Amino acid sequence: MKTLTALAALALLAAPSIAADEKKAPDKEPVPTGRLDSLMPAAPRYLVPQSALTSVRNPAEIEKETGGRLGVALVDKSGALLLGFNRDDRFAMCSTFKAPLAAAVLIGADGGKFGLEGTIPFSDDDILDYAPVVKKNKKRGRMSMGELAQAAVEVSDNSAANLLLPMLGGPPGLTAFIRAHGDSVTRLDRNEPTLNENAEGDERDTTTPAAMAGLMERLFFKDMKQESADKLRAWFNASSTGDKRIKAGLPQGWTSGSKTGTCGNAYNDVALVKSPAGDEYILAIYLDRPTVDTKKAEAAIAETAHAALDFVSKAQKSGLE
């Protein structure tokens, strides 16, 4: 077990890439095979004590225990992909699309396309089964764009998201926004609730862990004005839908806020996490078609988060470029 765990941890270590025509020195240990081959070797690189290697849980073991497919990506503020597992596999976004949706609303307001105080009217036909905030405003019959974006993130209000999408050009418009911010993978094709279909092999309404983590890193740390980034951060922090997912697996002293997604046969969480030292990262975890119940699926996400962040907290940058 320790050998397998150490191999997984070694595979998770960021390391220099090797040119195709460059001969590689023989490995002292067998190279991990299968899905572990998808782990990303990218700068910055780490020197890790043996104690950290032996304490890191193999993500393949967690995946196997769920009976589903697990995807993980951890990105730092500079955009470096530090850790990944099935990082480039496609997963249904479910409600994690509401994170870039809210960012698009905030950036659009900053650019003068509309105002956050501008209101959008709605009728009974616009109210979906899960729309706790919009339902509370039923008599009022309208909500501001800021209120809707906040509701979409903090409680994952489906009607709020649907009311905002037309202001951004619908699903194609949000996809165009995502492309404009450097993500060539993530795509939104439908609105709520049909985007949650998650049919086998259907690439509609999907992302990859690496793509979503990279997108949210760029939005939070590069592309959004500070005031808007702080507003989105506050909405993430106020969200309670992820209390049993990444947040439940944080090592001591870490904090996080997140946007979850649940499709019935998928459990996701995209979090902005902060270390005790104040370093911030984006951690994206997607779990598709687990055979375990919701409680165990969420526990698997928490355990995966703990393993990834505990590993990083024990790692020491080698200083090599």
Side-chain angles (χ1 to χ4, degrees):
M1 179 65 71
K2 287 187 176 181
T3 300
L4 181 57
T5 303
L7 285 175
L10 286 169
L12 284 168
L13 287 177
S17 58
I18 299 175
D21 58 350
E22 183 179 351
K23 293 184 179 180
K24 182 181 177 183
D27 293 303
K28 294 181 180 180
E29 294 184 277
V31 176
T33 59
R35 287 179 177 165
L36 289 179
D37 287 340
S38 71
L39 298 171
M40 182 69 170
R45 313 185 210 332
Y46 291 91
L47 294 176
V48 184
Q50 186 62 31
S51 60
L53 294 179
T54 56
S55 68
V56 173
R57 183 85 189 280
N58 188 334
E61 292 179 358
I62 300 174
E63 179 184 59
K64 184 176 181 181
E65 289 170 2
T66 68
R69 183 169 55 97
L70 180 67
V72 186
L74 179 68
V75 176
D76 70 9
K77 286 182 67 172
S78 71
L81 182 58
L82 305 181
L83 306 176
F85 180 76
N86 294 337
R87 71 185 190 280
D88 294 322
D89 281 9
R90 282 193 176 271
F91 292 81
M93 281 191 288
C94 310
S95 285
T96 61
F97 87 92
K98 293 167 185 169
L101 170 72
V105 170
L106 292 167
I107 288 176
D110 285 338
K113 293 182 179 180
F114 39 70
L116 292 181
E117 299 306 316
T119 60
I120 299 177
F122 59 86
S123 66
D124 288 350
D125 292 339
D126 298 310
I127 301 178
L128 302 176
D129 288 340
Y130 183 75
V133 178
V134 173
K135 285 179 180 178
K136 287 182 180 179
N137 288 272
K138 181 178 178 180
K139 289 184 178 179
R140 181 179 165 199
R142 61 178 56 243
M143 290 177 64
S144 73
M145 293 191 68
E147 290 172 328
L148 290 168
Q150 182 176 1
V153 175
E154 290 188 356
V155 299
S156 203
D157 192 300
N158 288 337
S159 291
N162 278 1
L163 290 168
L164 288 170
L165 275 171
M167 300 299 296
L168 302 171
L174 182 58
T175 300
F177 168 83
I178 289 167
R179 297 288 178 270
H181 291 273
D183 181 348
S184 62
V185 175
T186 304
R187 52 181 288 182
L188 187 72
D189 300 88
R190 295 167 290 183
N191 62 4
E192 294 282 7
T194 54
L195 63 86
N196 297 300
E197 181 184 10
N198 192 20
E200 192 77 48
D202 189 352
E203 292 193 354
R204 290 179 297 174
D205 310 303
T206 62
T207 188
T208 69
M212 181 59 77
L215 172 64
M216 294 313 300
E217 176 273 325
R218 285 186 293 273
L219 292 172
F220 267 118
F221 304 127
K222 296 183 178 70
D223 296 352
M224 298 182 73
K225 290 185 177 180
Q226 189 61 53
E227 184 178 352
S228 291
D230 288 344
K231 190 183 294 290
L232 183 57
R233 181 182 279 103
W235 293 345
F236 264 53
N237 290 338
S239 175
S240 60
T241 59
D243 285 352
K244 296 180 180 179
R245 299 186 187 182
I246 288 175
K247 189 175 182 179
L250 295 175
Q252 186 174 2
W254 287 70
T255 59
S256 79
S258 74
K259 181 67 205 81
T260 58
T262 307
C263 290
N265 60 354
Y267 300 85
N268 311 325
D269 203 8
V270 178
L272 173 65
V273 298
K274 181 184 287 188
S275 75
D279 297 319
E280 289 186 306
Y281 306 84
I282 302 294
L283 176 60
I285 302 178
Y286 286 78
L287 179 58
D288 185 57
R289 292 177 171 80
T291 57
V292 296
D293 61 20
T294 297
K295 183 178 180 180
K296 290 182 178 179
E298 292 189 317
I301 291 175
E303 184 177 9
T304 301
H306 183 84
L309 299 178
D310 188 48
F311 181 79
V312 168
S313 68
K314 292 175 180 176
Q316 297 176 339
K317 289 184 181 179
S318 69
L320 299 176
E321 293 296 336

